[in-house]
Amino acid sequence: MPAGHSPLRYSAPAIALHWLLALMIVVSFGVGLFMSDLPLSPTRLKLFNWHKWAGVTILALSGLRLLWRLTHKPPPAPAMPAWQACVGQATHVLLYALFFVVPLVGWAYSSAAGLPIVWFGLLPLPDFVPVDKLLAEAIKPWHERSAMLMAGLVLLHLAGAIKHQWLDRDGLIQRMLPGRD
């Protein structure tokens, strides 16, 4: 058995990807909310670039996380009512989908708006769609709505983890905490 992994815990790479993506998504969401109300300025432009870089990184790490998840069986969940297991599974599936949808729609918006993405200022990424201001205006709300949906699902995920930790006391959260063997 690999170090840091037991039959009741996720593997170390799965745990690292979970927490890294969680941090990046929360920070990127906060930056997105903050920057959207700023007037046009060097600070706003810097934050937009950082937000786009974070989105591309989240997209790449999500691909890695999905690949890891598809090739590594998760630990068994503790016993729970079927409806809770169903809600948990649906939340995870929707979150995984949004890990891809939110950055891809953001990339499409940037492309349509004629705002290229140069990842970390080094790697120019191809336009996802042609430059078209009307298309950009149509896409923009979908990026915002999908990000809000993801934020709501993150809160539901967090509420479920807290419920399992403090009410059920069933050890579910220990499966994803680092360094707890």
Side-chain angles (χ1 to χ4, degrees):
M1 182 116 357
H5 182 68
S6 74
L8 301 177
R9 290 179 38 75
Y10 281 91
S11 64
I15 292 169
L17 285 167
H18 174 273
W19 290 108
L20 178 59
L21 278 166
L23 177 65
M24 289 189 71
I25 287 167
V26 168
V27 171
S28 186
F29 181 79
V31 168
L33 286 177
F34 176 74
M35 72 184 190
S36 64
D37 290 333
L38 290 177
L40 186 59
S41 67
T43 299
R44 182 177 182 179
L45 294 175
K46 284 180 190 178
L47 289 174
F48 263 90
N49 279 328
W50 183 91
H51 184 75
K52 290 193 281 186
W53 299 342
V56 171
T57 305
I58 288 166
L59 182 62
L61 289 173
S62 294
L64 183 60
R65 182 176 181 187
L66 180 60
L67 181 63
W68 187 267
R69 174 62 183 83
L70 292 173
T71 58
H72 293 79
K73 187 177 177 182
M80 67 183 76
W83 72 267
Q84 285 183 21
C86 184
V87 168
Q89 185 174 12
T91 301
H92 280 102
V93 167
L94 288 170
L95 279 170
Y96 268 90
L98 289 167
F99 293 162
F100 294 93
V101 168
V102 173
L104 286 172
V105 172
W107 187 350
Y109 167 65
S110 275
S111 296
L115 303 168
I117 299 174
V118 182
W119 197 35
F120 294 107
L122 301 172
L123 179 64
L125 300 180
D127 283 336
F128 200 59
V129 298
V131 174
D132 181 334
K133 299 297 182 190
L134 290 175
L135 179 60
E137 289 306 312
I139 293 172
K140 184 178 181 180
W142 289 103
H143 180 60
E144 294 166 358
R145 289 175 188 145
S146 60
M148 289 294 183
L149 177 58
M150 183 166 25
L153 288 171
V154 165
L155 291 175
L156 180 62
H157 179 70
L158 183 58
I162 290 168
K163 176 206 172 288
H164 280 280
Q165 179 66 20
W166 289 335
L167 297 179
D168 299 342
R169 299 182 189 272
D170 60 10
L172 182 112
I173 200 170
Q174 274 70 29
R175 300 175 332 143
M176 192 52 84
L177 292 178
R180 296 273 208 185
D181 275 339

